[in-house]
Amino acid sequence: IREASEKLLLTLALGQVLSLLICGIGLTSKYLATDYHANTPVFQSFLNYILLFLVYTTTLAVRQGEENLLAILKRRWWKYMILGLIDIEANYLVIKAYQYTTLTSIQLLDCFVIPVALLLSWFFLLVRYKVVHFVGVGVCLLGMGCMVGADVLVGRQQGLGDHKLLGDLLVLAGATLYGISNVCEEFIVKNLSRVEFLGMMGLFGSFFSGIQLAIMEHKELLKVQWDWQIGLLYIGFSACMFGLYSFMPVVIKRTSATAVNLSLLTADLYSLFCGLFLFQYKFSGLYLLSFFIILLGLVLYYSSSTYVAQDPLVYKQFRNAGNPVPDTPNVEPLEPSVTYSSLGQEIEEEPRVRVA
């Protein structure tokens, strides 16, 4: 029991580290946009992709054999190109939505990423959930609703609210793309490698975001009044973004895309707590209540393991906590055991299935 409790606490802590990084991203973006009128979301993403390129793409370039950059590109270049475009546009759409709708709408609709991740995991990763997982998701979303209700009560309706329908549609589209990106990331880091995923994101992300920057944002970039304070804010944003991208695959490999997105619900609360001191936000006891409700939902979700449905082409059973479940005796199991393994490991022999 003690070991299980320690693993649960570690998993919760890892998720909250990601939330704190997102809080840092939000705060630096807010300072850049409101205090320095630097509306450069594409440029900010471009800086992150360049860092990923310098660290992870160059690592792939110096590797030998099948894990070399050229060998990966020969086999899967078009898949990573599509995934890179999805990742870039997910970031762009949600940031763009702030110009048209309210913060409350964005917080609520951004939760759409959770059902998207659940459905994609069910159909494409063949993950199967238990009742407790759906209860945990429901409790987390209840906590999020409580936080949005607190925003309404204290009058924190930030955002222009003009063309609200367009803004809401942008958030839903961005959340859908986030869900697709996260589930693809889960598949890659559990079956290929974290460095491969980040290296390919650095390569295609920097290429396509560079093109988008040149076309859409070069005039905004020229308007920026550069000084050391703005420079520090861009550096802080890039550091938090790079940390988020580098650390998220570690947490996803240990848990899942759905679990990570549930953990990230607390990011808005961390931003709000910082805003109480930095931007003189009004406080409500509902904020603390919503924080603990979300944590309760996370505990419920992490308290039980998920499993993978039968598929000879997939892998051996995995748990949310990252530990393999022991094999069960061969007595016609209804849910055959399947384990995630790295690409180089051998998978236990199973009946060959001819796929048309």
Side-chain angles (χ1 to χ4, degrees), residues 48-49 52 79-91 113 116-118 120-121 124-125 173-189 197-198 200-201 244-245 248-249 252 256-258 260-261:
N48 171 55
Y49 289 123
L52 292 175
K79 297 177 183 178
Y80 283 117
M81 182 183 72
I82 294 171
L83 186 55
L85 284 169
I86 288 171
D87 194 65
I88 292 166
E89 298 313 318
N91 289 320
V113 69
V116 171
L118 276 169
L120 291 176
S121 297
F124 294 102
L125 299 185
T176 302
L177 293 180
Y178 272 133
I180 295 169
S181 176
N182 289 163
V183 171
C184 291
E185 181 176 353
E186 178 181 349
F187 180 84
I188 293 166
V189 300
F197 171 76
L198 293 173
M200 292 296 103
M201 287 298 98
L244 178 69
Y245 269 70
M248 185 179 279
I252 283 182
S256 67
T258 303
V260 166
N261 281 296

Side-chain angles (χ1 to χ4, degrees), residues 149-203:
D151 279 347
V152 173
L153 289 175
V154 301
R156 201 171 73 93
Q157 289 281 344
Q158 296 178 5
L160 299 176
D162 300 330
H163 306 97
K164 193 170 183 301
L165 178 61
L166 173 60
D168 292 349
L169 291 174
L170 289 175
V171 179
L172 288 173
T176 302
L177 293 180
Y178 272 133
I180 295 169
S181 176
N182 289 163
V183 171
C184 291
E185 181 176 353
E186 178 181 349
F187 180 84
I188 293 166
V189 300
K190 286 182 174 176
N191 305 296
L192 299 170
S193 82
R194 166 180 169 268
V195 174
E196 177 175 329
F197 171 76
L198 293 173
M200 292 296 103
M201 287 298 98
L203 178 64

Side-chain angles (χ1 to χ4, degrees), residues 30-335:
K30 180 172 175 59
Y31 271 117
L32 283 168
T34 58
D35 291 10
Y36 297 96
H37 307 290
N39 296 305
T40 55
V42 179
F43 176 65
Q44 289 163 232
S45 295
F46 177 70
L47 292 175
N48 171 55
Y49 289 123
I50 287 294
L51 287 175
L52 292 175
F53 179 88
L54 292 174
V55 175
Y56 296 104
T57 310
T58 52
T59 300
L60 290 177
V62 299
R63 282 184 172 178
Q64 303 297 319
E66 291 297 304
E67 294 187 347
N68 177 265
L69 177 63
L70 292 177
I72 293 169
L73 286 173
K74 284 179 182 177
R75 295 194 303 271
R76 295 184 282 272
W77 68 271
W78 63 274
K79 297 177 183 178
Y80 283 117
M81 182 183 72
I82 294 171
L83 186 55
L85 284 169
I86 288 171
D87 194 65
I88 292 166
E89 298 313 318
N91 289 320
Y92 178 76
L93 289 173
V94 173
I95 293 172
K96 191 72 175 173
Y98 280 90
Q99 297 178 20
Y100 301 107
T101 189
T102 61
L103 178 65
T104 302
S105 292
I106 290 173
Q107 289 171 334
L108 270 177
L109 295 173
D110 204 30
C111 296
F112 188 64
V113 69
I114 294 169
V116 171
L118 276 169
L119 287 172
L120 291 176
S121 297
W122 182 283
F123 287 109
F124 294 102
L125 299 185
L126 304 177
V127 177
R128 296 296 178 259
Y129 302 96
K130 301 171 186 173
V131 173
V132 68
H133 296 120
F134 294 108
V135 172
V137 169
V139 171
C140 284
L141 294 178
L142 176 65
M144 192 66 188
C146 184
M147 187 193 76
V148 172
D151 279 347
V152 173
L153 289 175
V154 301
R156 201 171 73 93
Q157 289 281 344
Q158 296 178 5
L160 299 176
D162 300 330
H163 306 97
K164 193 170 183 301
L165 178 61
L166 173 60
D168 292 349
L169 291 174
L170 289 175
V171 179
L172 288 173
T176 302
L177 293 180
Y178 272 133
I180 295 169
S181 176
N182 289 163
V183 171
C184 291
E185 181 176 353
E186 178 181 349
F187 180 84
I188 293 166
V189 300
K190 286 182 174 176
N191 305 296
L192 299 170
S193 82
R194 166 180 169 268
V195 174
E196 177 175 329
F197 171 76
L198 293 173
M200 292 296 103
M201 287 298 98
L203 178 64
F204 289 106
S206 56
F207 177 74
F208 288 115
S209 63
I211 293 173
Q212 191 169 349
L213 172 64
I215 295 171
M216 301 177 63
E217 215 172 75
H218 63 281
K219 291 181 180 179
E220 285 291 331
L221 203 56
L222 293 173
K223 294 178 185 176
V224 176
Q225 302 295 317
W226 291 96
D227 60 27
W228 67 271
Q229 291 173 313
I230 287 184
L232 279 179
L233 286 172
Y234 275 115
I235 290 171
F237 175 91
S238 300
C240 289
M241 199 74 158
F242 179 76
L244 178 69
Y245 269 70
S246 297
F247 191 51
M248 185 179 279
V250 176
V251 185
I252 283 182
K253 187 169 185 177
R254 183 180 178 86
T255 57
S256 67
T258 303
V260 166
N261 281 296
L262 288 172
S263 297
L264 297 183
L265 292 178
T266 55
D268 288 325
L269 284 163
Y270 291 133
S271 298
L272 180 126
F273 293 146
C274 292
L276 293 172
F277 301 100
L278 299 175
F279 309 117
Q280 286 74 52
Y281 290 164
K282 294 179 181 178
F283 179 75
S284 168
L286 284 176
Y287 289 129
L288 282 177
L289 178 62
S290 63
F291 180 75
F292 289 112
I293 289 175
I294 291 172
L295 287 184
L296 174 62
L298 290 173
V299 170
L300 287 171
Y301 188 91
Y302 290 136
S303 65
S304 182
S305 62
T306 56
Y307 61 91
V308 178
Q310 181 180 12
D311 186 344
L313 302 178
V314 197
Y315 327 123
K316 287 274 170 216
Q317 195 173 25
F318 73 102
R319 298 182 60 139
N320 269 346
N323 295 322
V325 177
D327 288 333
T328 52
N330 271 336
V331 187
E332 296 181 339
L334 293 176
E335 295 157 3

